[in-house]
Short mmCIF file of all heavy atoms in Angstrom, two decimals:
data_model
loop_
_atom_site.label_atom_id
_atom_site.label_comp_id
_atom_site.label_asym_id
_atom_site.label_seq_id
_atom_site.Cartn_x
_atom_site.Cartn_y
_atom_site.Cartn_z
N LYS P 94 22.58 -44.55 -35.77
CA LYS P 94 22.89 -43.68 -36.90
C LYS P 94 24.37 -43.79 -37.21
O LYS P 94 25.22 -43.45 -36.40
CB LYS P 94 22.52 -42.24 -36.54
CG LYS P 94 23.15 -41.16 -37.40
CD LYS P 94 22.58 -41.14 -38.80
CE LYS P 94 23.01 -39.86 -39.52
NZ LYS P 94 24.47 -39.64 -39.55
N LEU P 95 24.71 -44.33 -38.40
CA LEU P 95 26.11 -44.51 -38.77
C LEU P 95 26.80 -43.16 -38.91
O LEU P 95 26.24 -42.20 -39.43
CB LEU P 95 26.21 -45.28 -40.09
CG LEU P 95 25.69 -46.72 -40.10
CD1 LEU P 95 25.92 -47.35 -41.47
CD2 LEU P 95 26.37 -47.55 -39.02
N ALA P 96 28.04 -43.12 -38.47
CA ALA P 96 28.83 -41.90 -38.57
C ALA P 96 29.14 -41.59 -40.03
O ALA P 96 29.48 -42.49 -40.80
CB ALA P 96 30.12 -42.03 -37.77
N GLY P 97 28.99 -40.33 -40.44
CA GLY P 97 29.32 -39.92 -41.80
C GLY P 97 28.37 -40.44 -42.84
O GLY P 97 28.71 -40.49 -44.03
N SER P 98 27.17 -40.86 -42.44
CA SER P 98 26.20 -41.40 -43.37
C SER P 98 24.79 -41.14 -42.85
O SER P 98 24.59 -40.92 -41.66
CB SER P 98 26.40 -42.91 -43.56
OG SER P 98 25.35 -43.49 -44.29
N LYS P 99 23.83 -41.14 -43.77
CA LYS P 99 22.44 -41.02 -43.35
C LYS P 99 21.83 -42.38 -43.00
O LYS P 99 20.69 -42.45 -42.53
CB LYS P 99 21.61 -40.38 -44.47
CG LYS P 99 21.96 -38.92 -44.74
CD LYS P 99 21.04 -38.34 -45.80
CE LYS P 99 21.36 -36.87 -46.03
NZ LYS P 99 20.47 -36.26 -47.06
N ASP P 100 22.57 -43.44 -43.24
CA ASP P 100 22.06 -44.79 -42.99
C ASP P 100 21.88 -45.03 -41.50
O ASP P 100 22.66 -44.56 -40.66
CB ASP P 100 23.01 -45.84 -43.56
CG ASP P 100 23.00 -45.84 -45.08
OD1 ASP P 100 22.09 -45.21 -45.67
OD2 ASP P 100 23.89 -46.47 -45.67
N MET P 101 20.85 -45.83 -41.19
CA MET P 101 20.57 -46.20 -39.81
C MET P 101 20.39 -47.72 -39.75
O MET P 101 19.76 -48.31 -40.62
CB MET P 101 19.32 -45.48 -39.31
CG MET P 101 19.41 -43.96 -39.47
SD MET P 101 17.99 -43.07 -38.80
CE MET P 101 18.40 -43.08 -37.06
N VAL P 102 20.95 -48.33 -38.73
CA VAL P 102 21.01 -49.78 -38.62
C VAL P 102 20.22 -50.24 -37.40
O VAL P 102 20.35 -49.66 -36.31
CB VAL P 102 22.47 -50.25 -38.51
CG1 VAL P 102 22.54 -51.76 -38.34
CG2 VAL P 102 23.27 -49.82 -39.73
N ILE P 103 19.43 -51.30 -37.58
CA ILE P 103 18.75 -51.92 -36.44
C ILE P 103 19.78 -52.68 -35.61
O ILE P 103 20.60 -53.43 -36.13
CB ILE P 103 17.67 -52.90 -36.93
CG1 ILE P 103 16.59 -52.17 -37.74
CG2 ILE P 103 17.04 -53.63 -35.75
CD1 ILE P 103 15.75 -51.21 -36.92
N CYS P 104 19.73 -52.49 -34.30
CA CYS P 104 20.61 -53.23 -33.40
C CYS P 104 19.77 -53.88 -32.31
O CYS P 104 18.59 -53.55 -32.14
CB CYS P 104 21.66 -52.30 -32.79
SG CYS P 104 20.97 -51.10 -31.62
N SER P 105 20.35 -54.81 -31.59
CA SER P 105 19.65 -55.43 -30.46
C SER P 105 20.65 -55.73 -29.36
O SER P 105 21.83 -55.98 -29.61
CB SER P 105 18.95 -56.72 -30.90
OG SER P 105 19.89 -57.74 -31.18
N THR P 106 20.16 -55.67 -28.12
CA THR P 106 20.97 -55.97 -26.95
C THR P 106 20.10 -56.71 -25.95
O THR P 106 18.88 -56.71 -26.06
CB THR P 106 21.50 -54.68 -26.27
OG1 THR P 106 20.42 -54.06 -25.56
CG2 THR P 106 22.06 -53.70 -27.29
N PRO P 107 20.74 -57.34 -24.96
CA PRO P 107 19.92 -57.87 -23.86
C PRO P 107 19.17 -56.73 -23.19
O PRO P 107 19.62 -55.59 -23.24
CB PRO P 107 20.96 -58.50 -22.92
CG PRO P 107 22.17 -58.71 -23.77
CD PRO P 107 22.16 -57.62 -24.78
N PRO P 108 18.02 -56.99 -22.56
CA PRO P 108 17.26 -55.91 -21.92
C PRO P 108 18.10 -55.20 -20.87
O PRO P 108 18.86 -55.85 -20.17
CB PRO P 108 16.09 -56.64 -21.29
CG PRO P 108 15.99 -57.94 -22.02
CD PRO P 108 17.39 -58.29 -22.41
N PHE P 109 17.85 -53.95 -20.69
CA PHE P 109 17.11 -53.04 -21.55
C PHE P 109 18.11 -52.27 -22.40
O PHE P 109 19.19 -51.96 -21.93
CB PHE P 109 16.29 -52.07 -20.71
CG PHE P 109 15.16 -52.72 -20.00
CD1 PHE P 109 15.27 -53.06 -18.67
CD2 PHE P 109 13.97 -52.98 -20.65
CE1 PHE P 109 14.21 -53.65 -18.01
CE2 PHE P 109 12.92 -53.54 -19.99
CZ PHE P 109 13.02 -53.89 -18.67
N ILE P 110 17.74 -51.94 -23.63
CA ILE P 110 18.71 -51.34 -24.54
C ILE P 110 19.17 -49.98 -24.05
O ILE P 110 20.33 -49.60 -24.21
CB ILE P 110 18.14 -51.26 -25.96
CG1 ILE P 110 19.26 -51.00 -26.97
CG2 ILE P 110 17.01 -50.24 -26.07
CD1 ILE P 110 18.84 -51.23 -28.41
N ASP P 111 18.27 -49.21 -23.43
CA ASP P 111 18.67 -47.90 -22.93
C ASP P 111 19.73 -48.02 -21.85
O ASP P 111 20.67 -47.23 -21.76
CB ASP P 111 17.45 -47.15 -22.39
CG ASP P 111 16.50 -46.74 -23.50
OD1 ASP P 111 16.98 -46.57 -24.63
OD2 ASP P 111 15.30 -46.59 -23.24
N ASN P 112 19.59 -49.04 -20.99
CA ASN P 112 20.58 -49.25 -19.93
C ASN P 112 21.89 -49.78 -20.49
O ASN P 112 22.97 -49.47 -20.00
CB ASN P 112 20.03 -50.22 -18.89
CG ASN P 112 18.86 -49.64 -18.13
OD1 ASN P 112 18.76 -48.44 -17.96
ND2 ASN P 112 17.96 -50.49 -17.68
N THR P 113 21.80 -50.61 -21.52
CA THR P 113 23.00 -51.22 -22.09
C THR P 113 23.88 -50.19 -22.78
O THR P 113 25.10 -50.26 -22.71
CB THR P 113 22.61 -52.31 -23.10
OG1 THR P 113 21.72 -53.24 -22.47
CG2 THR P 113 23.84 -53.07 -23.59
N LEU P 114 23.27 -49.23 -23.46
CA LEU P 114 24.03 -48.31 -24.30
C LEU P 114 23.96 -46.86 -23.83
O LEU P 114 24.36 -45.96 -24.56
CB LEU P 114 23.50 -48.38 -25.74
CG LEU P 114 23.66 -49.72 -26.45
CD1 LEU P 114 23.00 -49.66 -27.82
CD2 LEU P 114 25.11 -50.08 -26.60
N LYS P 115 23.49 -46.62 -22.63
CA LYS P 115 23.24 -45.24 -22.22
C LYS P 115 24.48 -44.54 -21.65
O LYS P 115 24.42 -43.37 -21.30
CB LYS P 115 22.15 -45.19 -21.16
CG LYS P 115 22.59 -45.72 -19.79
CD LYS P 115 21.47 -45.59 -18.79
CE LYS P 115 21.94 -46.07 -17.41
NZ LYS P 115 20.87 -45.95 -16.41
N ASP P 116 25.61 -45.24 -21.55
CA ASP P 116 26.78 -44.68 -20.85
C ASP P 116 27.39 -43.52 -21.63
O ASP P 116 28.51 -43.61 -22.14
CB ASP P 116 27.84 -45.76 -20.62
CG ASP P 116 27.29 -46.90 -19.77
OD1 ASP P 116 26.40 -46.64 -18.96
OD2 ASP P 116 27.74 -48.03 -19.95
N GLY P 117 26.65 -42.43 -21.73
CA GLY P 117 27.17 -41.22 -22.34
C GLY P 117 27.20 -41.22 -23.85
O GLY P 117 27.71 -40.29 -24.44
N PHE P 118 26.67 -42.26 -24.51
CA PHE P 118 26.82 -42.26 -25.97
C PHE P 118 25.63 -42.85 -26.72
O PHE P 118 25.71 -43.05 -27.91
CB PHE P 118 28.08 -43.01 -26.39
CG PHE P 118 28.11 -44.45 -25.95
CD1 PHE P 118 27.44 -45.42 -26.65
CD2 PHE P 118 28.80 -44.82 -24.81
CE1 PHE P 118 27.46 -46.75 -26.25
CE2 PHE P 118 28.83 -46.15 -24.40
CZ PHE P 118 28.16 -47.11 -25.12
N TYR P 119 24.51 -43.13 -26.06
CA TYR P 119 23.44 -43.75 -26.83
C TYR P 119 22.45 -42.73 -27.38
O TYR P 119 22.42 -42.47 -28.57
CB TYR P 119 22.71 -44.81 -26.00
CG TYR P 119 21.67 -45.54 -26.82
CD1 TYR P 119 22.03 -46.20 -27.98
CD2 TYR P 119 20.34 -45.55 -26.45
CE1 TYR P 119 21.09 -46.86 -28.76
CE2 TYR P 119 19.40 -46.22 -27.22
CZ TYR P 119 19.79 -46.87 -28.36
OH TYR P 119 18.86 -47.51 -29.12
N VAL P 120 21.67 -42.12 -26.55
CA VAL P 120 20.62 -41.25 -27.09
C VAL P 120 20.20 -40.20 -26.06
O VAL P 120 20.25 -40.43 -24.86
CB VAL P 120 19.39 -42.08 -27.51
CG1 VAL P 120 18.68 -42.68 -26.32
CG2 VAL P 120 18.41 -41.26 -28.31
N ALA P 121 19.87 -39.02 -26.59
CA ALA P 121 19.21 -38.01 -25.77
C ALA P 121 17.73 -38.11 -26.10
O ALA P 121 17.27 -37.61 -27.11
CB ALA P 121 19.74 -36.62 -26.08
N ASN P 122 16.98 -38.81 -25.27
CA ASN P 122 15.59 -39.15 -25.57
C ASN P 122 14.68 -38.26 -24.73
O ASN P 122 14.24 -38.64 -23.66
CB ASN P 122 15.35 -40.62 -25.28
CG ASN P 122 14.01 -41.09 -25.81
OD1 ASN P 122 13.18 -40.29 -26.18
ND2 ASN P 122 13.81 -42.40 -25.82
N ASN P 123 14.42 -37.06 -25.22
CA ASN P 123 13.54 -36.14 -24.53
C ASN P 123 12.08 -36.48 -24.84
O ASN P 123 11.80 -37.38 -25.63
CB ASN P 123 13.83 -34.69 -24.93
CG ASN P 123 15.25 -34.30 -24.55
OD1 ASN P 123 15.74 -34.68 -23.49
ND2 ASN P 123 15.90 -33.54 -25.41
N ILE P 124 11.17 -35.77 -24.23
CA ILE P 124 9.76 -36.10 -24.39
C ILE P 124 9.32 -35.97 -25.84
O ILE P 124 8.65 -36.85 -26.37
CB ILE P 124 8.91 -35.20 -23.48
CG1 ILE P 124 9.24 -35.47 -22.01
CG2 ILE P 124 7.41 -35.44 -23.74
CD1 ILE P 124 8.50 -34.58 -21.04
N ASN P 125 9.69 -34.89 -26.50
CA ASN P 125 9.19 -34.64 -27.85
C ASN P 125 10.28 -34.57 -28.90
O ASN P 125 10.02 -34.18 -30.03
CB ASN P 125 8.39 -33.34 -27.89
CG ASN P 125 7.13 -33.43 -27.05
OD1 ASN P 125 6.43 -34.43 -27.10
ND2 ASN P 125 6.87 -32.41 -26.25
#
Side-chain angles (χ1 to χ4, degrees):
K94 162 70 167 55
L95 296 182
S98 171
K99 292 183 178 181
D100 290 348
M101 305 183 79
V102 178
I103 298 292
C104 69
S105 71
T106 75
F109 291 99
I110 195 166
D111 290 334
N112 293 331
T113 306
L114 297 176
K115 73 178 182 180
D116 300 330
F118 59 81
Y119 185 56
V120 68
N122 191 347
N123 298 321
I124 296 177
N125 295 316

